[in-house]
């Protein structure tokens, strides 16, 4: 019923939900109780709060969320059946977001309506996923390279074993379980499709490819069209579930208003104009157990000059999600991968990290830490790296900082190796 709300209707909805969130936070969340009192903001002020005043509240930094997300940011009046879910932590210590059962249901109901349905699919269809879970625990290169989740009709493919010698097995998993669409990491899906195409193999025709987590390029879209005979739909979100951007059937990326209030700010903290690139600042409207108000995720988008769409939905349009583009790491046995976020999970002192491949078997990890690591921490990192790559030479360096690129971010993964690189013979 809300799908084709007017802009005014969405503003009214968001303002009503914002007031509920702010009052709840004042009454039950220690961090915000102290924050509002220090700003001399009363509960009555919050009951009459307007959207245009949101910019007067301070930003919530990701580092603050990491430190107090499971303590001072938690409401004393929570919904039942809550569970903490960790983010990928691809460049440092993961954040932990509290999902109640009811909040989880709301979020995935919106995701089904605003992402899957726009792409012409639904949750009942058999799907293939390439994500970060390690379904093969050791670094050995032995199939099958997928696992089947019968409850969800989901085939979960390994992101860490895609190579010329494994492609037939990936295709076997697709055909055996009659998958109708692929989803997951954009780059991993692209690597898989590229191998299928280069080897002249025939892939099943799919309804769509649905990507996330990484920057989707036109080359990727074109490859998916050739290999699978279907369109690609992009989306952006995060484990924090305080924002959502989704591509409609006309190829426009819309900011979904019922997940959160999204501000796009320039480097001076002012709202961006259409056509400008700015940082996403998100206020989640679903999670009252762990409110995130003006949360700074560190991601950027480019607002579109054209703010109308043939789809008829009155939702802000962005031209581009300015995400990270990571290098592809090449394993000694020919496998290709991009994701290393599982390496640092639950190692709390790690604030930032970067994986560098110097040759096929020679790696360096740079770490920024808040306190010294133990010998067990170093050993755990090495074990996890070898679980993805097999036996390698690994150097771990502690640094004060990791240089950022022009977009204010640093690459989490850098590779100097090539498939023809002979340097593994003399590492």
């Amino acid at each position: 019923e809300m799908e084709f709300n007017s802009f005014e209707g969405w503003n009214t909805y968001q303002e009503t939900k914002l007031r509920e969130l702010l009052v709840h936070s004042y009454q039950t969340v220690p961090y915000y109780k102290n924050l509002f009192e220090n700003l001399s903001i009363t509960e009555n002020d919050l009951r009459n709060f307007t959207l245009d005043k949101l910019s007067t509240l301070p930003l919530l930094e990701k580092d603050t969320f990491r430190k107090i997300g499971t303590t001072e940011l938690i409401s004393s009046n929570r919904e039942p059946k809550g569970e903490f879910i960790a983010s990928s932590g691809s460049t440092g210590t993961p954040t932990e977001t509290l999902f109640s059962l009811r909040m989880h249901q709301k979020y995935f109901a919106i995701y089904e309506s605003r992402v899957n349905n726009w792409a012409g699919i639904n949750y009942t269809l058999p799907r293939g996923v390439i994500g970060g879970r390690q379904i093969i625990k050791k670094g050995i290169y032995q199939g099958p390279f997928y696992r089947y989740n019968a409850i969800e009709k989901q085939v979960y493919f390994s992101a860490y074993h895609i190579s010329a010698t494994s492609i037939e097995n990936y295709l076997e998993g697709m055909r055996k379980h009659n998958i109708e669409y692929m989803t997951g990491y954009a780059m991993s899906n692209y690597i898989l499709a590229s191998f299928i195409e280069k080897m002249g193999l025939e892939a099943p025709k799919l309804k769509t490819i649905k990507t996330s987590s990484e920057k989707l390029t036109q080359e990727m879209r074109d490859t998916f069209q050739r290999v699978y005979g279907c369109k690609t739909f992009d989306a952006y979100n995060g484990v924090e579930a305080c924002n959502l951007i989704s591509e409609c059937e006309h190829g426009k990326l819309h900011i979904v208003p019922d997940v959160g209030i999204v501000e796009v700010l320039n480097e001076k903290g002012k709202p961006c104009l259409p056509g400008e690139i700015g940082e996403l600042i998100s206020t989640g409207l679903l999670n009252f157990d762990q409110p995130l108000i003006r949360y700074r995720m560190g991601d950027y988008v480019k607002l579109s000059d054209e703010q109308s769409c043939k789809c008829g939905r009155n939702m802000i349009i962005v031209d581009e999600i300015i995400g990270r583009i990571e290098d592809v790491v090449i394993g000694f046995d020919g496998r290709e991968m991009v994701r290393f976020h599982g390496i640092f999970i639950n190692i709390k002192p790690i604030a930032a990290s970067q994986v560098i491949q110097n040759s096929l078997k020679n790696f360096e990890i740079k770490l920024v830490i808040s306190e010294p690591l133990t010998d067990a921490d170093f050993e755990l990192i090495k074990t996890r790296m070898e679980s993805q790559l097999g036996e390698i030479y690994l150097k771990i360096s502690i640094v004060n900082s990791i240089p950022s690129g022009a977009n204010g971010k640093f690459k989490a993964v850098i590779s100097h190796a090539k498939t023809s690189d002979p340097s593994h013979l003399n590492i």
Side-chain angles (χ1 to χ4, degrees):
E1 293 174 354
M2 296 171 64
E3 183 95 350
F4 295 96
N5 241 345
S6 65
F7 280 115
E8 293 76 14
W10 278 120
N11 284 343
T12 299
Y13 173 82
Q14 288 192 329
E15 193 166 82
T16 300
K17 296 297 293 183
L18 176 62
R19 289 171 178 172
E20 293 175 11
L21 179 74
L22 294 176
V23 171
H24 172 83
S25 300
Y26 181 92
Q27 292 176 343
T28 72
V29 181
Y31 173 79
Y32 287 113
K33 173 77 169 176
N34 292 332
L35 177 68
F36 294 143
E37 288 182 345
N38 289 337
L39 294 172
S40 299
I41 297 175
T42 67
E43 184 174 332
N44 190 58
D45 293 333
L46 298 175
R47 291 185 186 279
N48 296 283
F49 210 81
T50 53
L51 282 175
D52 61 324
K53 293 180 181 177
L54 187 57
S55 61
T56 64
L57 301 179
L59 299 176
L60 175 64
E61 300 289 343
K62 183 171 284 193
D63 207 42
T64 302
F65 182 31
R66 286 193 183 106
K67 291 176 181 176
I68 66 170
T70 60
T71 54
E72 295 172 57
L73 270 176
I74 300 299
S75 170
S76 59
N77 181 20
R78 299 189 294 275
E79 293 181 331
K81 299 183 180 179
E83 178 183 359
F84 284 103
I85 299 178
S87 69
S88 66
S90 56
T91 57
T93 307
T95 57
E96 293 184 85
T97 303
L98 180 60
F99 279 75
S100 70
L101 176 61
R102 182 60 177 157
M103 180 264 178
H104 219 155
Q105 289 172 328
K106 289 178 182 177
Y107 177 70
F108 276 100
I110 294 174
Y111 191 91
E112 177 76 0
S113 176
R114 312 270 190 251
V115 179
N116 286 348
N117 291 353
W118 290 6
I121 55 178
N122 62 67
Y123 74 94
T124 69
L125 300 178
R127 73 188 189 276
V129 180
I130 305 181
R133 296 179 183 176
Q134 287 192 332
I135 61 171
I136 300 170
K137 294 300 183 183
K138 296 182 179 179
I140 58 173
Y141 195 75
Q142 180 178 335
F145 302 109
Y146 61 89
R147 300 291 184 268
Y148 185 56
N149 167 10
I151 298 297
E152 295 188 38
K153 302 178 188 174
Q154 175 200 61
V155 183
Y156 204 100
F157 294 100
S158 172
Y160 311 112
H161 295 82
I162 305 173
S163 73
T165 57
S166 68
I167 291 303
E168 290 279 11
N169 188 252
Y170 281 76
L171 288 172
E172 172 195 291
M174 292 183 189
R175 297 189 187 104
K176 180 178 179 181
H177 298 289
N178 300 309
I179 69 164
E180 297 192 38
Y181 70 95
M182 288 289 293
T183 186
Y185 297 154
M187 181 58 78
S188 297
N189 269 287
Y190 172 66
I191 293 171
L192 176 61
S194 296
F195 270 117
I196 293 172
E197 184 173 43
K198 289 174 184 176
M199 296 175 65
L201 301 173
E202 185 175 350
K205 298 306 176 186
L206 303 179
K207 292 182 181 296
T208 189
I209 306 294
K210 187 164 64 73
T211 60
S212 61
S213 299
E214 296 155 343
K215 186 176 177 63
L216 177 68
T217 65
Q218 188 59 48
E219 180 183 356
M220 293 178 182
R221 291 182 188 268
D222 294 342
T223 301
F224 296 144
Q225 179 68 52
R226 292 193 303 269
V227 173
Y228 300 114
C230 64
K231 289 176 63 175
T232 302
F233 287 80
D234 198 14
Y236 165 90
N237 63 344
V239 172
E240 296 90 347
C242 56
N243 57 36
L244 178 62
I245 300 174
S246 182
E247 183 174 343
C248 76
E249 60 271 32
H250 291 279
K252 299 290 187 180
L253 288 163
H254 296 268
I255 297 177
V256 176
D258 36 8
V259 173
I261 300 168
V262 173
E263 304 167 75
V264 182
L265 305 182
N266 62 23
E267 58 187 12
K268 295 181 180 180
K270 302 298 182 182
C272 287
L273 298 174
E276 294 183 339
I277 294 174
E279 183 179 2
L280 284 176
I281 306 298
S282 303
T283 298
L285 297 177
L286 299 178
N287 192 350
F288 279 47
D289 291 349
Q290 185 191 49
L292 300 180
I293 300 169
R294 304 200 77 212
Y295 177 51
R296 191 177 187 181
M297 293 181 67
D299 292 318
Y300 293 77
V301 298
K302 180 183 179 183
L303 286 176
S304 178
D305 281 320
E306 179 55 62
Q307 286 297 321
S308 64
C309 181
K310 293 178 181 178
C311 73
R313 300 178 182 94
N314 296 301
M315 303 176 185
I316 294 172
I317 301 170
V318 301
D319 280 338
E320 187 180 1
I321 301 164
I322 314 293
R324 289 188 178 92
I325 299 180
E326 311 299 354
D327 285 356
V328 176
V329 165
I330 303 162
F332 184 74
D333 47 22
R335 72 182 85 172
E336 298 184 14
M337 67 195 78
V338 290
R339 284 284 166 152
F340 288 84
H341 65 261
I343 303 300
F344 311 109
I345 285 178
N346 293 329
I347 305 178
K348 298 294 186 183
I350 298 177
S353 62
Q354 186 177 63
V355 176
I356 302 171
Q357 181 180 29
N358 295 309
S359 67
L360 291 181
K361 296 192 74 172
N362 188 313
F363 287 79
E364 180 182 6
I365 292 178
K366 293 183 177 181
L367 299 176
V368 178
I369 58 176
S370 58
E371 58 186 78
L373 297 179
T374 66
D375 290 342
D377 291 332
F378 285 109
E379 188 60 34
L380 181 58
I381 293 171
K382 185 174 187 297
T383 299
R384 287 173 171 174
M385 281 290 287
E386 290 183 342
S387 75
Q388 290 188 198
L389 288 160
E391 187 177 348
I392 58 171
Y393 173 78
L394 176 63
K395 176 185 176 182
I396 301 177
S397 303
I398 305 300
V399 297
N400 292 325
S401 63
I402 299 173
S404 298
N407 66 352
K409 295 185 172 188
F410 63 86
K411 293 179 76 169
V413 180
I414 297 174
S415 178
H416 303 297
K418 306 296 180 185
T419 50
S420 57
D421 188 351
S423 57
H424 62 283
L425 300 176
N426 182 21
I427 65 171

